[in-house]
Amino acid sequence: MTGLTASSLSAAGVKAAPLLTAQGVTIRFGGVTAVKNINLSVRPGEILGLIGPNGAGKTTLFNGLTGFVRLSEGRVTLAGRDITHLQPQARSRLGMARTFQVERPFEDLSVLENVLVAAFLRHRGRAAEDHAYAVLERVGLADRAAQPAAELNLARRRRLELAKALALEPRLLFLDESIAGLNPPAQQEMVALIRELAQSGLGIVMVEHIMHVIMTLSDHVICMAFGELLAEGTPAAVAAHPDVIRAYLGDDHD
């Protein structure tokens, strides 16, 4: 199998071992159970979409998987290694990266300098700068390298957020509403970029409220409600599930 990409493995009918596995993930805040007994896995080149109505527990699960919230119960592994109790920075070194729903650029730094901050985790000196430029080219921001991050519009800020994550050279990428709020042309550009990243072999977990986007992009979808699994499967199967329809449209829908 040496040299085969995730796409060629899929084409050959061979499923790669999961990059991420979560078993029995439960998160409580005091007496409130925000996430209850969630199981999932993500393979190289696969896009997993997390959907659900507001308050479903998607963001809490997302934060638990990335180490920003401590699990009350359950286990998370990355490429077979138990990372359940590791801090986010330790997970980054092992190949996990994430974006944030609210972009957090260093506004006093240039676009290139923002990406360099992340690039220095893996590289030093000129190698870090070359790597940062390569990442900016990948996300379509190379022509903005010298521009102050504070001057970027929303679409470019989202791309910068993505570039900072990619500079960590992850194997697994978590995207927190990277498309929400963008105008239709910018949405299409981001969708194309995310699809390209998955085709390169990157495993991706997405939380997104724009249903037609996440259903188009995802290979597998998990729908949550009240912290629990409501439905999972292909996008078409989940979209047609009666419990999912009720969760989004109400009990009176028929």
Side-chain angles (χ1 to χ4, degrees), residues 20-22 25 35-42 46-53 56-59 61-62 65 204-208 211 214-215 218-225 227-239 241 244 248:
L20 178 77
T21 301
V25 170
V35 173
K36 182 177 180 181
N37 195 31
I38 297 294
N39 302 308
L40 58 83
S41 65
V42 184
E46 182 179 22
I47 300 177
L48 172 66
L50 297 179
I51 67 170
K58 306 181 299 296
T59 298
L61 173 61
F62 191 96
L65 295 174
I204 297 175
V205 180
M206 292 182 63
V207 171
E208 186 58 63
M211 292 299 293
I214 199 163
M215 289 302 193
S218 300
D219 299 299
H220 192 84
V221 174
I222 286 177
C223 182
M224 297 175 64
E228 299 187 44
L229 177 69
L230 191 63
E232 69 172 310
T234 65
V238 171
H241 196 289
V244 174
Y248 276 97

Side-chain angles (χ1 to χ4, degrees), residues 74-212:
R75 183 171 181 259
V76 180
T77 63
L78 179 63
R81 176 170 177 170
D82 192 330
I83 62 168
T84 307
H85 303 295
L86 292 185
Q87 295 297 312
Q89 61 270 25
R91 299 181 193 217
S92 293
R93 287 191 288 270
L94 293 175
M96 179 183 289
R98 66 166 293 175
T99 65
F100 290 87
Q101 184 176 343
V102 178
E103 307 82 31
R104 300 176 180 180
F106 301 105
E107 296 194 344
D108 294 335
L109 301 182
S110 70
V111 169
L112 176 61
E113 288 167 339
N114 265 267
V115 181
L116 272 172
V117 172
F120 280 130
L121 182 68
R122 302 285 189 191
H123 304 278
R124 290 293 180 268
R126 182 58 185 269
E129 187 170 342
D130 290 344
H131 175 58
Y133 266 116
V135 171
L136 288 178
E137 287 183 354
R138 191 175 191 184
V139 303
L141 284 178
D143 61 336
R144 304 280 172 171
Q147 184 174 356
E151 296 179 2
L152 296 180
N153 63 21
L154 176 61
R156 293 190 180 107
R157 287 169 74 95
R158 290 282 173 80
R159 285 174 176 266
L160 177 57
E161 183 77 6
L162 180 56
K164 289 160 58 182
L166 292 175
L168 299 171
E169 300 183 9
R171 292 179 287 174
L172 182 66
L173 179 64
F174 286 76
L175 300 177
D176 191 358
E177 296 194 35
S178 293
I179 299 172
L182 300 180
N183 61 34
Q187 286 182 19
Q188 292 173 11
E189 291 173 357
M190 187 64 83
V191 164
L193 178 55
I194 293 170
R195 186 173 284 122
E196 180 184 313
L197 293 173
Q199 289 171 350
S200 75
L202 198 60
I204 297 175
V205 180
M206 292 182 63
V207 171
E208 186 58 63
H209 284 292
I210 305 175
M211 292 299 293
H212 72 272

